[in-house]
Amino acid sequence: MMARDRFGLLDVGSNTIRLVIFEMDDYQGITELQNIKTPARLVQYLDNENKMSEEGINVLITVLKSFTKIAERYNIKELISIATAAIRQSTNRDVILARVKKEMDLDLTVLTEQKEAYFGNYAVRYTMDIPDGVSIDIGGGSTEVTYFKNKKIKEAHSFPFGTVSLQKQFFDEKEHNDKKAIKKARKWVNEQLRTLDWLEDLSVPLVAIGGSARNYAEIYQRQTDYPIAGIHEYQMSKKDLDKTFDLLEESSMDELADLDGLSEDRRDIIIPAGIVFTELLNVMQSKTLAISNRGLREGIIYEHLNQEYDDAYDLFGIKRQTVQRLFKQYDIRPISAHQRIVLADRLLELIKDKGILDLKDEHLYLLHYGATLYYLGSYIEADSESQHTFYIISNTNLHGFDHSDRVRLALLASYKNRSLYKQYTQNFKDWYDKKELDILLYLGSVIKFAEALSDSHVNFVHDIDLIETDEDNYELRVTYSGEAIAEEYRANRHKNHMERVLGKSLSITFQKEIDESTQTEV
């Protein structure tokens, strides 16, 4: 596969059939050019003996013909076509596949339960910074659960029930929120889940994949005026999930139609999905539901890329690779970023040596990432680069960054002054305590000052030292070569950022580097 190749993925699920067109960029990142779906509900065409009706087969072929024609318009290099539970469970599966092959010359690959669970979990492990957890992918006719520890799969199982089949089993010809049906479904689902001994009392995060999980998160976000966009790595507490389920249970079908965040084609199956999520949290004794916006389809693509390229997606370097891809996407100058990182590191080292800041390792990583992506918003417009930077980073689904880390990274990469910092943090005061907000302010100040010290972006500054001249004052000695007029001007203009961190007044001395062999200034 060459750079900028496009390829498509046809996903024939039990609830929906979807076509996604991916484009690969020059650094193995992938972008969705198109993502379309239709709620075909194929599982409802299975009779009591799991034979798919002629009507169901015709629905399948009609949709596939339409989607393959669309895929051709994108000049794709390869079309991967997969099917899951509805086709897998069909007793006339061979007839269905033969019809698809005859009428469309399309080879539809039916994934086993194990493969379906594997690919969904693959996407979770390669795009989320969660070492231990259980992933759940609930479709229309099956539910895959996979336990992973230290990013390695330990256990996996596929249950032969999903949102559509549960709706059919417990809510057929009843109200979507029938209390007796909910109670009966809860008991039955709980019993099925407890057949897996390894699920009980795991106390690790539950990571949910798929549209139903996204809908629960989006509904809760709308109800709470969530301040940023994006679902990937969003974390709900069990209390948040229960509150959302109660809202759905108390709402009529008409009220659900007006509920922000709920897809119209999921109104009748959203409660069965919630029953599975809440009961699984109960069985696991877990308090956290994390949402993955990457699932089966992305898992297939990521594995494909990892087979084509060495470490295209690194299991233990997700954040680093995410930052590298953003760095390239927004065309940040490598020389500028490198010098900014080196200087920020050196400044922080001097500050730590004085015992001024108490930092965790995660803060050091954030400093690196923030210095790397500093003012990436200038790609859009230089005059409002700080505002664009904060908005882009805080509202982008960044692999490896949960929403709290995403905002912290945005605050560092966009730091301009304390006034804007306070403006940006206004909607996030409940997310961090005062100590954390102060640390982020100081780290942003260090990056800002490091940028001032590399103003001309030609690496004039070679070394920095910090001397405590008396109890109220520090002196920063900057050794440089060449001509550092711009750096000297900017550093003195922005020294207030360093004074804020140091808590004392700062004087800055620029001194030219001496060549020892010739005793002349460099």
Side-chain angles (χ1 to χ4, degrees), residues 373-386:
L373 301 177
Y374 191 64
Y375 281 4
L376 65 72
S378 61
Y379 181 87
I380 296 173
E381 185 182 50
D383 288 345
S384 49
E385 55 195 2
S386 172

Side-chain angles (χ1 to χ4, degrees), residues 263-311:
S263 300
E264 183 179 352
D265 55 293
R266 291 188 184 274
R267 280 188 294 162
D268 60 334
I269 58 173
I270 196 67
I271 282 182
I275 289 171
V276 177
F277 295 142
T278 52
E279 288 306 314
L280 184 50
L281 283 175
N282 288 334
V283 169
M284 291 171 55
Q285 289 293 297
S286 175
K287 296 180 180 179
T288 304
L289 178 73
I291 311 298
S292 174
N293 201 30
R294 310 290 185 257
L296 170 66
R297 293 176 293 277
E298 289 80 11
I300 291 171
I301 298 304
Y302 295 146
E303 189 196 54
H304 198 59
L305 291 176
N306 273 341
Q307 290 172 350
E308 290 281 331
Y309 304 92
D310 292 335
D311 297 323

Side-chain angles (χ1 to χ4, degrees), residues 125-132 149-152 311 313-321 365 369:
R125 288 182 293 123
Y126 278 86
T127 66
M128 298 180 77
D129 194 24
I130 297 178
D132 308 329
K149 186 174 179 62
N150 195 29
K151 295 277 188 170
K152 291 183 179 179
D311 297 323
Y313 288 84
D314 185 350
L315 194 59
F316 293 99
I318 302 171
K319 281 182 172 147
R320 172 182 54 79
Q321 287 192 322
Y365 285 115
Y369 299 149

Side-chain angles (χ1 to χ4, degrees), residues 365-464:
Y365 285 115
L366 278 171
L367 180 86
H368 272 238
Y369 299 149
T372 302
L373 301 177
Y374 191 64
Y375 281 4
L376 65 72
S378 61
Y379 181 87
I380 296 173
E381 185 182 50
D383 288 345
S384 49
E385 55 195 2
S386 172
Q387 290 90 337
H388 285 306
T389 300
F390 183 79
Y391 183 85
I392 291 168
I393 295 177
S394 63
N395 288 281
T396 301
N397 283 319
L398 302 181
H399 292 176
F401 290 84
D402 64 24
H403 286 209
S404 176
D405 274 349
R406 199 204 291 177
V407 171
R408 292 200 292 174
L409 176 61
L411 288 169
L412 297 192
S414 67
Y415 185 80
K416 184 176 184 179
N417 53 50
R418 186 161 54 178
S419 176
L420 268 181
Y421 179 84
K422 286 183 177 180
Q423 180 182 319
Y424 296 152
T425 57
Q426 194 65 37
N427 293 324
F428 306 97
K429 288 184 176 178
D430 295 338
W431 290 32
Y432 315 101
D433 59 26
K434 185 181 183 303
K435 181 182 178 183
E436 179 67 10
L437 286 172
D438 286 344
I439 286 175
L440 294 174
L441 172 66
Y442 297 150
L443 293 179
S445 298
V446 168
I447 295 172
K448 173 75 175 178
F449 189 73
E451 173 68 5
L453 283 176
S454 60
D455 190 49
S456 57
H457 300 155
V458 290
N459 301 342
F460 283 137
V461 173
H462 287 195
D463 196 16
I464 315 169

Side-chain angles (χ1 to χ4, degrees), residues 87-266:
I87 308 296
R88 183 170 63 228
Q89 294 169 7
S90 301
T91 53
N92 57 337
R93 177 175 68 178
D94 291 344
V95 173
I96 298 169
L97 297 179
R99 284 275 302 277
V100 171
K101 177 67 173 176
K102 181 181 178 181
E103 296 191 31
M104 303 181 56
D105 194 27
L106 182 68
D107 292 310
L108 194 57
T109 301
V110 180
L111 296 182
T112 63
E113 294 96 331
Q114 293 79 10
K115 271 294 184 183
E116 186 174 358
Y118 167 78
F119 284 125
N121 183 265
Y122 194 96
V124 166
R125 288 182 293 123
Y126 278 86
T127 66
M128 298 180 77
D129 194 24
I130 297 178
D132 308 329
V134 170
S135 64
I136 175 172
D137 189 352
I138 179 167
S142 69
T143 297
E144 282 67 48
V145 290
T146 307
Y147 170 45
F148 58 97
K149 186 174 179 62
N150 195 29
K151 295 277 188 170
K152 291 183 179 179
I153 294 176
K154 295 295 184 182
E155 302 282 355
H157 182 77
S158 179
F159 289 102
F161 60 81
T163 54
V164 178
S165 60
L166 285 173
Q167 192 278 333
K168 190 176 178 181
Q169 181 178 348
F170 293 100
F171 296 88
D172 199 25
E173 297 183 0
K174 296 177 182 176
E175 293 292 329
H176 72 287
N177 56 355
D178 184 279
K179 292 190 181 300
K180 288 184 179 178
I182 290 174
K183 185 176 180 181
K184 191 175 180 181
R186 278 194 180 282
K187 183 175 182 296
W188 187 85
V189 168
N190 189 284
E191 289 170 353
Q192 305 309 304
L193 296 173
R194 289 190 185 278
T195 61
L196 302 181
D197 293 341
W198 51 267
L199 268 181
E200 296 195 44
D201 303 330
L202 272 177
S203 296
V204 295
L206 176 62
V207 184
I209 302 165
S212 295
R214 290 194 297 272
N215 273 200
Y216 268 91
E218 286 166 353
I219 291 166
Y220 187 74
Q221 286 184 349
R222 304 293 196 283
Q223 293 293 310
T224 55
D225 294 325
Y226 198 65
I228 58 175
I231 289 296
H232 194 61
E233 293 209 49
Y234 175 63
Q235 296 190 6
M236 298 178 73
S237 68
K238 186 176 183 301
K239 184 178 177 182
D240 298 338
L241 181 63
D242 288 338
K243 192 181 295 185
T244 308
F245 186 89
D246 290 344
L247 172 65
L248 295 168
E249 187 180 1
E250 293 162 6
S251 301
S252 67
M253 228 11 162
D254 288 340
E255 288 170 333
L256 290 183
D258 294 328
L259 189 61
D260 284 346
L262 177 59
S263 300
E264 183 179 352
D265 55 293
R266 291 188 184 274

